Amino acid sequence: LRDAKNGSEIISNINKEFEIDLQVLSGEDEARLTFLAARRWFGWSSGRLIVIDIGGGSLEIASGVDEAPEAATSLPLGAARLTKAFLNGDPFSQKSIMKLREHIESQLESVLQAQAHHESRDRAIATSKTLRTLARLCGDWFDGDGRTIKLDSIRKISPKLAEMSFEQRAKLPGVSPNRARQIVAGAFVAESVMRNLDIDKLEESVNVEKSSVTGETQVNLVKYEMYKTMVEILMTESEEVDETLGAKRAELASPWKSACNTRIKKKIIN
């Protein structure tokens, strides 16, 4: 939505229809808030963190030891964006794969210097669906737990995914039809980030070890807690917190989400 040609129009329509003040975060702000949510979730004992998020339109990287990251970066290296811009054929052609990888490397050059000053870290955290899917694939194909991505594993898995057809990828465990096309670009971004930043292992930001709930339920619970943390931060940092408005927002949350997932989302021009 940040880069949609009619993004401002969509935001204006949402605000008018549902009487809210919806705003679009910048990529850097998204990276900072994601980092803060991860910090709140993992706690201070987790030490210095680097948080990686590969979304549909952008890649966010943030690192630091406090609640606010010392370095926060957003790049247009989202899995869906890259797939649409570079990859063609089924399976994808080697030429398009090569162009994709060259583009990823050139884009990452701009952030390596900033992140190099904060190279040491205690934990590297993955916070997106793309990385969660890759963690599961690494666990299924190699000796892993399904919740971590090792550099050696992602190096092997990326070309394997690229060689598969769309239909073959869609049959892989944990890969939905919607993600089967863009998982290749996501894998190459993950591999490049880990290699260039010397990250040996990425940990998924979801704890699925609790036996009292299923893995999927736990995923949703953790995502809810992290999202709630972001909302609380935004509300607290506002100049004024109107309780009536807050209640109104909560009341409108469900229909607003439904609208975004149906009418409004379909109107966005990529």
Side-chain angles (χ1 to χ4, degrees):
L1 186 56
R2 272 198 298 263
D3 301 320
K5 295 178 181 178
N6 62 340
S8 298
E9 179 185 350
I10 295 295
I11 293 296
S12 178
N13 290 342
I14 293 173
N15 288 335
K16 182 178 180 180
E17 183 172 354
F18 297 102
E19 299 178 9
I20 59 175
D21 183 21
L22 180 66
Q23 299 178 33
V24 178
L25 293 172
S26 68
E28 288 73 18
D29 284 341
E30 181 181 352
R32 293 186 185 98
L33 286 172
T34 302
F35 179 89
L36 178 52
R39 167 63 70 196
R40 295 276 181 90
W41 181 258
F42 285 98
W44 291 100
S45 61
S46 56
R48 181 178 289 276
L49 300 179
I50 182 165
V51 178
I52 312 295
D53 189 296
I54 302 174
S58 61
L59 160 72
E60 275 75 48
I61 305 174
S63 60
V65 70
D66 293 317
E67 288 198 334
E70 295 163 4
T73 307
S74 179
L75 293 171
L77 292 177
R81 179 197 296 268
L82 293 178
T83 301
K84 183 177 180 179
F86 290 95
L87 299 180
N88 53 70
D90 187 23
F92 296 129
S93 69
Q94 284 299 313
K95 184 176 181 180
S96 66
I97 290 290
M98 185 178 300
K99 288 184 177 180
L100 168 69
R101 301 193 71 175
E102 289 174 353
H103 177 75
I104 293 170
E105 292 293 321
S106 66
Q107 286 286 306
L108 282 176
E109 284 181 7
S110 64
V111 303
L112 292 180
Q113 186 174 2
Q115 290 291 341
H117 295 296
H118 313 285
E119 186 173 344
S120 63
R121 82 274 303 188
D122 296 302
R123 300 178 78 169
I125 308 299
T127 63
S128 64
K129 291 180 181 178
T130 293
L131 291 169
R132 186 169 73 236
T133 301
L134 290 171
R136 178 170 180 181
L137 289 175
C138 287
D140 286 344
W141 288 1
F142 304 102
D143 185 18
D145 57 11
R147 299 189 300 276
T148 58
I149 301 174
K150 294 181 179 179
L151 178 57
D152 183 58
S153 296
I154 197 65
R155 277 176 169 164
K156 295 175 181 177
I157 206 174
S158 301
K160 285 189 66 174
L161 288 170
E163 292 170 358
M164 292 180 172
S165 67
F166 171 84
E167 185 177 356
Q168 289 173 321
R169 290 193 299 273
K171 293 179 180 178
L172 294 173
V175 180
S176 65
N178 290 337
R179 201 162 297 278
R181 183 169 175 79
Q182 65 189 53
I183 194 66
V184 174
F188 281 119
V189 171
E191 187 277 332
S192 186
V193 169
M194 293 181 71
R195 172 169 42 80
N196 281 292
L197 295 180
D198 295 322
I199 299 173
D200 293 323
K201 182 179 73 171
L202 268 176
E203 301 177 51
E204 186 185 348
S205 63
V206 177
N207 176 11
V208 294
E209 295 178 352
K210 293 185 179 180
S211 59
S212 59
V213 291
T214 65
E216 186 61 28
T217 300
Q218 186 65 19
V219 166
N220 291 334
L221 286 173
V222 175
K223 286 172 64 180
Y224 167 75
E225 289 296 335
M226 293 183 72
Y227 175 74
K228 185 175 71 172
T229 298
M230 291 184 184
V231 172
E232 288 173 349
I233 294 163
L234 288 171
M235 290 294 291
T236 302
E237 292 181 350
S238 298
E239 293 182 3
E240 296 181 7
V241 179
D242 188 320
E243 293 183 2
T244 303
L245 179 58
K248 182 66 173 177
R249 283 174 174 165
E251 178 185 340
L252 291 170
S254 181
W256 175 81
K257 181 178 181 181
S258 176
C260 282
N261 287 337
T262 53
R263 305 192 311 276
I264 296 171
K265 189 174 182 180
K266 290 178 181 178
K267 294 179 183 178
I268 295 175
I269 301 174
N270 294 321

